[in-house]
Amino acid sequence: MPSLTRDEAIARAALLTVDAVEVDLDLDRGPETFGSRTTLRFTCHEPGAATFVDLRPVTLERARLNGRDLEPAVLVDGRLGLADLAADNVLEVDAVMAYGHDGQGLHRSTDPADDEDYVYGHLFLDAAPRVFACVDQPDLKAPYTVRVTTPQHWSVVGNGAARQTSPGVWELATTRPLSTYFVTVCAGPWVSVTGEHDGIPLGLHARRSLEEPLLRHAPHLLEVTATAFDHYHRLFGVRYPFGDYHQVFVPEFNAGAMENPGCVTIRDQYLFRGAATPDQLLEVDNTVVHEMAHMWFGDLVTMRWWDDLWLNESFAEYMAYRTSTEALGAPEAWVEFGIVRKRWGYAADRAPSTHPVAGSPAPDAVSALQNFDGISYAKGASVLRQLIAHIGADAFDAGVRDHLTAHAFGNAGLEDFLGAMARAAGRSLDDWSQAWLRTAGADRLSLGRDGTLARSVPTEHPADRPHTLDVAAFADGREVLRVPVVLDGPSAPVDGVADVPDDALLVPNAGDLTWAEVGLDDVTLDALPAGLADVPDPVARQVLWTALLVGMHRAEVDPRLVVEVFDRAWATEDDPAVLRRVAAAVTVSVVPTFLPPDEAEAALRRVAAAADVLLTRAGTVEGPAGDGLAVVAARVLAASSTDVERLATWSRGDGLPEPLVGDDDFRWLVLRRLSALDALDEGALAGAEEADRSLAGRLAALGVRAVRPTPEAKADAWRSLEEDESLSNYEALEIARGFWATPDPDLVRPYVRRVGDLLARLAPRMGEDALSRVATALFPLTVVEDATLEASAAMLGRTDLPPGVHRALVDEDHVLREALASRHRFG
């Protein structure tokens, strides 16, 4: 079906004003389809003109425009043609719609714990026509009145306050003007916790089988929500405008969360069934305040077209980390930002698919979705930090308030935002925005022992970006230098570098204040194994870890050095985000992709030994900090150990670290490792499935079977992906994530050239967002050889894969090329 183009959207916005939308949904028709009735009232500014609305039904039962019936033939490729419009129009549409099972549209999922069904709407980016007839573009906002019929034991949550008017019939309060992609309905036998803060009704909701973790986490979640409301009210000068504020933890969600006004949907894995490390809890807090920031930036003021989607996400990303630090009292949030979000963004900026933060061409909606990545989030947030350094925090905050007030309940673009910032700063931002927002690529900073801080600019994307940052040096566990620098040219002198000890670690961008890859000098690289652990500043340690991993991807750092530094420095790290993410990078990327296969087993033994050291150390640390260290250590052991006896003991629940006693999710990690070692019998797996009949347990069992290193297991996994049309988005993703795991590339090499055919087979039954994630997981990054590169080139040449899937394959192809370059240089 054609994707709406920007030109079509501009023309339709000039022609129409959408005045009101009424939607009636009948969710009591069984598990596959639902009824949808839409009454759309709109004004046409050129009576007699023609246009179309967006609609993708299973069956169009009736369409009436201004009292006259429309022929079904006017619905072509998801567009319902409307001719001879009046000045004031009423369109009535009755249709049968299909539930989604890919996380898009109105997604329906069955919880195996009790066989109850749950439904939630995820209409981003262009899925609204799968739920109701609409003018599906972000700049035609309208108030919505929604009514829902459900099984009588269900409850309903949505954008407006919900009330039950009769058994199984719910009516939601009419909303303020919303873009179509923000409309949602969440229906099912939810368990709920409610509260109120500053006159705002609050609600938390989850599946019935998650009642215990919901009740356990609810007091903290409500406290975070209340604190963030107070913070944003002070900062923005505009009260939350959307009535009730609900947060619904939903199953099989493709993203982290979605900022539907008044009814945020969040992946329900964030309600941890078992142990959670401090950085995992911080991640949830950060997600909560990120979506809350969108209530103002994105929901109250929305971009006109998808090419400004970055502005929504960059702002919410920056504001979430700022709020976590300033309001929630979590300064370690910026460490997590660097090791998680910025590494994601740097990878996107190195790839051939890189694009400017702003101004990327989005001729249609699907094109915009391809740029919904680490550049739009992490780089954009980092650029906003540089904007603050450029104009000052007071001017930035004043510009935000100006922008929100001027465009409330409407739409705005980049020019509007920069105009507000320029007025607040009292100067033009044209040159700054051209360098930082409209030019792709990341500069690379290096610091010489002579005290010269040098900036290299990507040749493909030249720009003159000024950097406000700091430089530090560390020796013998002490900070021996810290110098603020404004780098507004190719290089700048840094006072004091010549006086530091000869073996000091030199750290450009030590405070992680700017967006730039860091190149470490040879002395620093040589000193990292012995010196990294003693660096007292957690942000600087994160910068060093990130520089080490980025250097490996650029074929400048031997992956063996990464393993060496991990072996000697990781187990003494204190920050849980660094511990967890660095370990994941080593076990998921460094060892299986960058190291030669014959060195992988020895490297994993070193990883497991380091995890054992951390586990021992955790026993000497009291309280939640010690528990967090123990959980990280045990999880890394579960991913890397070859000690089958120990793993089998843990799988039975014996000898576990105290925080993991009774933790079903940890048990599945252990079973997955046993399966990867081909040391798990079918009886033990069946017993685990019987003991954990949850959605998480069902998914974990699929992954456990997929990682087993036997021809039969790989054939079964592939056949399931190829033939089982009932697989949900999460089930397909879990199988794909386990498939390529193997100690012997020969086991999976025959499938390398079959990936493209499989993706093409999946495309008709899986939405582009979900399929792109599956494509990323299905890319054969454990078979690093020229033949895989040839197979990848063939995939990229196909014309039967959606654009988002092609983009995902381009990015994975780039990682394969990085691994090949590394092996050619160091292998």
Side-chain angles (χ1 to χ4, degrees):
M1 294 184 183
S3 178
L4 183 71
T5 69
R6 179 174 185 162
D7 290 344
E8 289 172 330
I10 291 172
R12 198 161 57 168
L15 183 65
L16 305 180
T17 298
V18 182
D19 302 307
V21 184
E22 298 176 30
V23 178
D24 288 84
L25 300 175
D26 183 357
L27 309 185
D28 198 18
R29 296 188 179 185
E32 298 302 325
T33 62
F34 62 95
S36 172
R37 173 176 295 173
T38 309
T39 302
L40 197 153
R41 304 178 191 278
F42 63 98
T43 302
C44 175
H45 307 304
E46 298 177 18
T51 188
F52 61 92
V53 298
D54 304 286
L55 178 67
R56 284 180 272 170
V58 174
T59 305
L60 175 59
E61 296 186 327
R62 187 187 73 155
R64 290 172 61 86
L65 176 64
N66 299 328
R68 70 177 189 271
D69 288 331
L70 304 178
E71 294 297 323
V74 301
L75 178 63
V76 179
D77 284 339
R79 296 179 172 189
L80 183 67
L82 306 178
D84 193 21
L85 295 173
D88 297 307
N89 301 272
V90 178
L91 175 67
E92 301 166 278
V93 175
D94 287 312
V96 176
M97 302 290 197
Y99 288 111
H101 301 289
D102 58 356
Q104 291 291 110
L106 208 57
H107 181 93
R108 185 163 182 145
S109 175
T110 301
D111 187 344
D114 54 14
D115 292 326
E116 289 285 3
D117 280 10
Y118 295 85
V119 169
Y120 65 88
H122 184 64
L123 275 50
F124 179 84
L125 172 144
D126 60 352
R130 290 170 55 173
V131 181
F132 55 87
C134 57
V135 185
D136 191 24
Q137 56 190 76
D139 60 341
L140 284 174
K141 291 183 169 183
Y144 283 79
T145 303
V146 178
R147 288 172 288 272
V148 188
T149 301
T150 70
Q152 292 188 17
H153 69 293
W154 286 17
S155 59
V156 173
V157 186
N159 303 102
R163 65 186 183 94
Q164 187 171 204
T165 59
S166 62
V169 180
W170 297 77
E171 183 167 328
L172 278 64
T174 300
T175 69
R176 304 299 294 267
L178 304 180
S179 298
T180 46
Y181 78 99
F182 288 137
V183 178
T184 193
V185 166
C186 301
W190 307 109
V191 291
S192 303
V193 176
T194 60
E196 183 177 340
H197 178 72
D198 194 18
I200 304 169
L202 306 177
L204 301 169
H205 314 270
R207 287 180 285 134
R208 201 162 60 183
S209 64
L210 293 175
E211 181 174 13
E212 187 279 326
L214 176 67
L215 295 178
R216 176 160 38 90
H217 291 289
H220 177 75
L221 291 169
L222 291 174
E223 181 183 1
V224 167
T225 303
T227 301
F229 267 132
D230 291 343
H231 180 71
Y232 290 147
H233 286 158
R234 288 191 301 268
L235 187 60
F236 300 148
V238 178
R239 276 189 60 81
Y240 168 70
F242 296 111
D244 292 11
Y245 192 76
H246 296 276
Q247 298 171 85
V248 189
F249 292 84
V250 298
E252 299 178 332
F253 198 66
N254 282 328
M258 178 63 197
E259 65 270 21
N260 313 301
C263 186
V264 173
T265 44
I266 306 174
R267 58 166 47 215
D268 62 14
Q269 291 99 322
Y270 282 159
L271 289 178
F272 301 107
R273 301 192 304 165
T277 59
D279 65 300
Q280 287 181 296
L281 297 174
L282 176 62
E283 182 181 357
V284 176
D285 292 351
N286 192 274
T287 300
V288 168
V289 299
H290 176 112
E291 305 308 324
M292 292 182 72
H294 274 310
M295 297 299 120
W296 287 265
F297 224 100
D299 297 5
L300 177 66
V301 180
T302 309
M303 73 254 157
R304 292 190 184 92
W305 183 242
W306 300 110
D307 52 0
D308 276 329
L309 181 62
W310 74 272
L311 190 54
N312 289 5
E313 297 305 340
S314 298
F315 182 86
E317 179 94 341
Y318 161 73
M319 195 54 64
Y321 282 94
R322 175 175 168 180
T323 301
S324 293
T325 302
E326 293 180 356
L328 303 184
E332 67 274 16
W334 288 118
V335 179
E336 193 264 358
F337 177 69
I339 199 66
V340 179
R341 309 299 281 183
K342 291 185 77 171
R343 277 184 55 236
W344 174 40
Y346 287 144
D349 227 1
R350 285 195 309 275
S353 57
T354 185
H355 56 88
V357 173
S360 296
D364 55 41
V366 169
S367 299
L369 183 60
Q370 295 175 52
N371 290 335
F372 198 58
D373 57 13
I375 294 173
S376 297
Y377 282 81
K379 182 177 181 179
S382 299
V383 169
L384 290 179
R385 294 183 82 186
Q386 282 295 293
L387 176 60
I388 292 168
H390 189 64
I391 67 173
D394 290 343
F396 177 83
D397 292 348
V400 168
R401 289 191 288 270
D402 178 8
H403 183 74
L404 293 174
T405 303
H407 302 286
F409 298 108
N411 299 84
L414 172 62
E415 294 76 14
D416 301 303
F417 176 74
L418 289 177
M421 290 296 154
R423 286 192 298 273
R427 54 180 158 139
S428 171
L429 295 174
D430 290 348
D431 291 343
W432 182 92
S433 64
Q434 179 63 36
W436 273 112
L437 294 174
R438 293 186 169 93
T439 308
D443 293 343
R444 190 158 175 80
L445 304 180
S446 58
L447 180 61
R449 295 276 152 177
D450 62 352
T452 300
L453 180 66
R455 180 192 72 187
S456 60
V457 177
T459 56
E460 305 89 343
H461 309 285
D464 186 14
R465 281 178 279 259
H467 295 268
T468 301
L469 68 153
D470 60 359
V471 167
F474 301 89
D476 299 323
R478 296 181 300 110
E479 181 178 299
V480 295
L481 179 74
R482 177 80 65 162
V483 181
V485 182
V486 176
L487 180 63
D488 53 7
S491 64
V494 179
D495 294 337
V497 173
D499 300 324
V500 303
D502 291 342
D503 59 349
L505 304 176
L506 299 186
V507 191
N509 195 28
D512 207 18
L513 300 175
T514 193
W515 180 265
E517 291 186 348
V518 167
L520 301 175
D521 70 293
D522 290 341
V523 174
T524 298
L525 284 173
D526 290 342
L528 276 182
L532 177 54
D534 294 329
V535 172
D537 178 6
V539 175
R541 291 198 305 274
Q542 175 273 120
V543 170
L544 288 166
W545 278 114
T546 298
L548 187 68
L549 291 166
V550 167
M552 180 195 71
H553 278 271
R554 294 174 65 95
E556 297 171 354
V557 171
D558 191 332
R560 297 173 185 85
L561 177 60
V562 179
V563 175
E564 176 72 17
V565 176
F566 185 94
D567 184 22
R568 299 182 61 182
W570 178 81
T572 63
E573 176 60 54
D574 292 319
D575 187 89
V578 173
L579 281 167
R580 191 160 67 96
R581 299 300 181 150
V582 169
V586 171
T587 56
V588 175
S589 179
V590 178
V591 173
T593 300
F594 283 81
L595 279 181
D598 59 356
E599 298 181 32
E601 184 178 345
L604 280 181
R605 283 199 297 269
R606 297 180 77 177
V607 170
D612 245 335
V613 172
L614 180 61
L615 188 58
T616 300
R617 178 181 157 222
T620 68
V621 180
E622 296 182 356
D627 289 347
L629 294 177
V631 170
V632 172
R635 288 175 178 170
V636 175
L637 271 167
S640 59
S641 178
T642 57
D643 186 343
V644 170
E645 183 178 347
R646 183 183 201 178
L647 292 169
T649 299
W650 277 4
S651 74
R652 296 189 295 270
D654 298 329
L656 291 169
E658 183 60 31
L660 293 169
V661 172
D663 190 322
D664 287 331
D665 292 328
F666 180 72
R667 185 187 187 196
W668 283 113
L669 287 178
V670 174
L671 293 174
R672 186 184 182 97
R673 182 59 180 161
L674 284 168
S675 182
L677 296 170
D678 200 16
L680 179 66
D681 65 68
E682 187 63 32
L685 177 54
E689 290 179 287
E690 182 61 31
D692 182 11
R693 297 179 60 84
S694 66
L695 180 58
R698 183 172 70 188
L699 292 170
L702 290 173
V704 167
R705 288 191 165 88
V707 301
R708 181 172 287 155
T710 65
E712 296 78 14
K714 299 304 180 184
D716 287 346
W718 194 268
R719 187 164 44 250
S720 180
L721 287 169
E722 204 169 42
E723 299 177 3
D724 188 352
E725 296 189 1
S726 70
L727 287 178
S728 72
N729 55 327
Y730 268 40
E731 290 168 333
L733 185 59
E734 192 66 31
I735 295 170
R737 283 173 172 164
F739 181 82
W740 297 105
T742 175
D744 181 8
D746 286 342
L747 187 62
V748 292
R749 188 174 283 112
Y751 295 92
V752 168
R753 293 189 175 275
R754 297 172 60 184
V755 174
D757 290 339
L758 176 56
L759 292 172
R761 190 181 182 97
L762 290 171
R765 54 186 165 99
M766 190 173 290
E768 190 165 344
D769 189 17
L771 185 58
S772 297
R773 297 167 196 271
V774 172
T776 298
L778 267 180
F779 196 89
L781 279 178
T782 60
V783 188
V784 181
E785 55 196 27
D786 290 337
T788 304
L789 194 60
E790 294 171 6
S792 178
M795 273 196 291
L796 293 175
R798 298 181 70 121
T799 59
D800 55 353
L801 298 177
V805 174
H806 185 272
R807 162 67 184 272
L809 295 174
V810 166
D811 291 345
E812 295 306 298
D813 177 88
H814 177 67
V815 177
L816 174 63
R817 291 174 183 273
E818 290 180 328
L820 282 168
S822 175
R823 290 196 186 181
H824 289 159
R825 178 172 181 184
F826 299 111

